Amino acid sequence: MDRRAFLRKPAAVLAAPLGTDDPTRATALTAPTDPPETVSRYANKTLPNLPRTTAGLAPYTGPWTKVQAAHLLRRCLFGPTKANIATATASSLTQVLNGLLTAPAAPAPPVNVSATDTSVPIGQTWTTQAFDQNFEGVRRASLRSWWLGQVLQGSTLVEKMWVFWHNHFVIEFSDINDARYGYQYAALLRQHALGNIKQLAKDVTVTPAMLRYLNGNQSTATAPNENYGRELLELFTVGKGPLIGPGNYTTYTEADVQAAAKVLTGWRDNATTQQGYFTASRHDTSTKQFSSAFQNRTIANAGDQEYKALVDLVFDQAETARFLVRKLYRWLVYYIIDATTEQNVIVPLAQQLQQNGYNVAPVLRTLLESEHFFDSVNTGCYIKSPLDFTLGICRQLEIPMPPASNPAVQYSVWDYLNSTTSLQQQYLGDPPNVAGWAAYYQTPQFNELWINAVTLPRRSQFSDLMVSTNGTTRSGFKLVADPVAFVESLPPATAEDPNLLIQSLVDLLMPFPLTANQLAFLNDTLLPGLPDFEWTTEWWDYLAAPTNTTKRNAVATKLRALLKVMLSQAEYQLS
């Protein structure tokens, strides 16, 4: 399989696959003032419907080596370190999944790192303080930095799923304009990252951030607001099927949106208590009638409990489970869901999800330990998101980070990394719209959208900077990789042999083996026109005098040149 093909014009492909994707969604959600999105002329125009693989959900029983361990970790972490891969390789698949699916304790809340916010001292949390527009900007920056820091430092599937739910139950920090609400929302997503989707949907529905973001706090009996009811159906649960009649999207109708809006009337947000609350006098007390898509069921007046009945009604639908599983699949495996994958993977996983009461962890385990997940076509086929790319470099090259004892500097570095991913078109806390990042839903390009004329140079700029001599400095802290220290951490026999050294970096950084020509090219990058023993000699000379600047620079310069090339290769863009 040629996984470099995403940089070239694809071969002719067939009709779109089975699914319920709506290719008009991005246009419908984009504000009129937004510039049109530029899509490469080489991007997919259609998706194939031929089976990529016939592998299903039978447990994987093939070899368990660093190849399989690294593949699993690449999809579950934001860049596995060599220690992560070594530990996983020495364990069994079941043991690795047990660790990945064990949620660590909730982190401490974000803290103030700006003298601007006088409500609390530096290093103490602002999340319990009163809202103040004068402090909102620095609190929001603190929140983003904190969130990225937790994701960067994580070593379980919680972090990857935390961002998944953010892309699913979307809010935008800049729209809600209350960092305290944003923190409460982020903490809720993390709490349920590996938990019960139905309960998360209920909690999100009345969380202040969502009430404000989709105008639920303005919805009254005399003027029901349809925003949340529509997105609950179209984006958060059952999804939009083909239009089969006026206002009928197969899985729901416009009348269902209107009924859902009536159910949700009466909810408001309280900026003092930071809670959603219900006002009975603003609630529509009529019996809400739903269409045949929901078995013509009704929801009678139940006051502040009515929204739970709505969520239960929607989650009773088999298509809700299938819609959610498709999104999980596209997050963790690949964006193409052909008819065979739909039948062999999506449908049985959806049935398991329903049978488990929408607890997501068992479904994730079934998928991640399956023959389908470990099929060779699903290795190295996924274009990294900006978060995967940027945090992966930091983690895999073991770039030193500021200590927690200095939160101002620590948050400053995390803020820099946020700005880096933002330039690559993924800003944590602010997806472009309520549908999330287009790379996860926009057919037929999907994650090809991460690579374009703007973002690819920005990726290279960041990777080049991290392996340069000076790196970048934030609040007095130098952020830069130390390739010499990295190589010193390898087994001595590997570090002194240029070919073994290169292969160890390939095993860490690349999702599949490189060709003999590519390895020869990398050898020539490390040792331009020189024999292999030249590296061994220079490395031994350095080890004999590690404080000698000249000898250290001799090996460091070669390693930086090698890493610069490797991080710019097409293969490194893949997971």
Side-chain angles (χ1 to χ4, degrees):
M1 179 180 179
D2 184 359
R3 297 178 181 83
R4 295 175 64 95
F6 77 93
L7 292 179
R8 301 194 296 270
K9 186 175 182 179
V13 289
L14 303 175
L18 177 68
T20 57
D21 304 290
D22 177 12
T24 66
R25 181 70 202 178
T27 302
L29 289 170
T30 302
T33 56
D34 289 347
E37 183 165 0
T38 301
V39 177
S40 168
R41 65 183 184 276
Y42 300 123
N44 279 341
K45 302 301 186 294
T46 58
L47 291 176
N49 64 3
L50 293 177
R52 297 177 62 249
T53 172
T54 58
L57 294 175
Y60 174 73
T61 57
W64 180 253
T65 69
K66 61 186 175 183
V67 174
Q68 291 77 31
H71 169 56
L72 176 63
L73 295 180
R74 284 189 187 98
R75 299 301 176 86
C76 293
L77 306 178
F78 286 99
T81 66
K82 67 177 186 295
N84 293 149
I85 296 173
T87 300
T89 304
S91 307
S92 68
L93 172 56
T94 298
Q95 290 171 327
V96 176
L97 285 173
N98 287 345
L100 289 170
L101 292 168
T102 299
V111 299
N112 177 35
V113 292
S114 172
T116 300
D117 188 347
T118 57
S119 66
V120 293
I122 300 292
Q124 293 187 18
T125 188
W126 44 263
T127 59
T128 55
Q129 300 300 309
F131 175 79
D132 190 320
Q133 189 64 58
N134 294 317
F135 306 152
E136 176 59 20
V138 294
R139 288 179 178 177
R140 196 181 306 164
S142 165
L143 173 59
R144 290 187 208 277
S145 298
W146 168 83
W147 194 347
L148 183 135
Q150 306 314 307
V151 169
L152 173 65
Q153 297 174 116
S155 58
T156 71
L157 188 52
V158 164
E159 291 74 33
K160 209 65 176 285
M161 291 302 297
W162 192 3
V163 181
F164 170 83
W165 292 121
H166 175 40
N167 184 65
H168 183 75
F169 292 110
V170 172
I171 70 161
E172 299 171 61
F173 288 166
S174 57
D175 281 13
I176 64 171
N177 192 44
D178 192 327
R180 305 170 311 155
Y181 281 13
Y183 166 66
Q184 185 186 71
Y185 157 85
L188 177 66
L189 298 187
R190 191 189 182 284
Q191 175 189 345
H192 292 289
L194 299 177
N196 189 278
I197 307 174
K198 185 193 292 188
Q199 187 59 52
L200 175 57
K202 290 177 179 179
D203 293 346
V204 161
T205 297
V206 294
T207 198
M210 187 62 77
L211 287 170
R212 184 174 290 187
Y213 179 59
L214 288 178
N215 311 113
N217 59 359
Q218 302 171 17
S219 191
T220 67
T222 56
N225 189 292
E226 296 181 2
N227 283 357
Y228 185 77
R230 182 175 304 281
E231 307 309 356
L232 176 68
L233 299 179
E234 181 176 346
L235 297 176
F236 301 164
T237 57
V238 75
K240 180 189 283 188
L243 184 68
I244 58 175
N248 187 338
Y249 310 108
T250 309
T251 52
Y252 68 91
T253 68
E254 282 297 316
D256 294 323
V257 173
Q258 294 160 10
K262 292 177 181 178
V263 167
L264 297 166
T265 54
W267 284 92
R268 309 175 78 178
D269 64 287
N270 186 314
T272 300
T273 64
Q274 298 186 53
Q275 296 295 320
Y277 70 98
F278 181 77
T279 303
S281 62
R282 293 163 62 97
H283 181 62
D284 185 314
T285 59
S286 67
T287 297
K288 291 79 178 177
Q289 178 69 55
F290 289 82
S291 74
S292 60
F294 297 97
Q295 300 79 50
N296 297 309
R297 288 163 60 179
T298 60
I299 294 179
N301 179 44
D304 64 354
Q305 298 302 299
E306 223 169 298
Y307 77 95
K308 297 178 183 178
L310 172 62
V311 172
D312 287 338
L313 170 64
V314 177
F315 275 78
D316 282 345
Q317 311 308 309
E319 183 55 34
T320 294
R322 290 192 288 266
F323 179 81
L324 291 168
V325 167
R326 290 187 196 107
K327 293 197 72 171
L328 289 167
Y329 183 90
R330 288 191 169 113
W331 188 260
L332 293 168
V333 185
Y334 196 47
Y335 63 81
I336 293 179
I337 301 176
D338 53 52
T340 301
T341 297
E342 178 78 13
Q343 186 62 37
N344 291 350
V345 178
I346 303 302
V347 170
L349 281 179
Q351 292 170 346
Q352 182 186 10
L353 184 61
Q354 272 198 303
Q355 291 164 1
N356 277 281
Y358 285 93
N359 289 308
V360 74
V363 172
L364 294 173
R365 180 183 290 273
T366 298
L367 176 61
L368 295 172
E369 69 180 4
S370 70
E371 290 180 345
H372 184 89
F373 180 80
F374 286 101
D375 192 291
S376 59
V377 301
N378 289 323
T379 302
C381 61
Y382 204 100
I383 298 173
K384 291 177 181 176
S385 70
L387 280 168
D388 275 310
F389 178 82
T390 302
L391 302 189
I393 286 176
C394 294
R395 289 170 56 88
Q396 293 183 309
L397 297 187
E398 301 174 14
I399 296 176
M401 293 288 160
S405 58
N406 194 335
V409 176
Q410 186 180 55
Y411 276 51
S412 178
V413 168
W414 292 343
D415 179 68
Y416 165 71
L417 295 176
N418 259 326
S419 68
T420 298
T421 62
S422 178
L423 288 173
Q424 297 169 31
Q425 300 177 358
Q426 188 177 34
Y427 197 24
L428 194 60
D430 271 286
N433 53 57
V434 70
W437 289 288
Y440 301 110
Y441 69 84
Q442 184 60 65
T443 186
Q445 294 85 23
F446 288 101
N447 61 46
E448 291 184 2
L449 294 171
W450 289 132
I451 300 291
N452 56 55
V454 173
T455 60
L456 189 57
R458 287 172 176 169
R459 289 183 180 222
S460 294
Q461 287 167 5
F462 176 73
S463 58
D464 288 354
L465 186 63
M466 289 300 100
V467 297
S468 68
T469 303
N470 296 320
T472 187
T473 300
R474 291 293 182 274
S475 299
F477 184 85
K478 188 175 181 179
L479 192 67
V480 66
D482 184 346
V484 176
F486 182 89
V487 174
E488 282 185 294
S489 70
L490 298 173
T494 300
E496 68 186 25
D497 185 312
N499 296 305
L500 293 179
L501 168 60
I502 290 169
Q503 187 59 56
S504 70
L505 288 171
V506 169
D507 293 343
L508 173 66
L509 301 175
M510 306 304 184
F512 45 82
L514 299 186
T515 66
N517 285 342
Q518 287 176 306
L519 293 173
F521 172 76
L522 293 177
N523 181 288
D524 195 54
T525 301
L526 180 69
L527 297 168
L530 299 173
D532 288 356
F533 70 77
E534 187 69 26
W535 169 259
T536 305
T537 300
E538 291 192 17
W539 184 250
W540 285 349
D541 287 347
Y542 160 70
L543 292 179
T547 60
N548 184 301
T549 302
T550 301
K551 296 184 184 300
R552 180 182 176 87
N553 286 343
V555 293
T557 300
K558 290 180 171 60
L559 291 172
R560 292 186 190 281
L562 174 65
L563 286 171
K564 180 178 179 180
V565 169
M566 294 186 73
L567 297 179
S568 67
Q569 284 183 280
E571 287 80 4
Y572 188 71
Q573 310 300 321
L574 298 171
S575 170

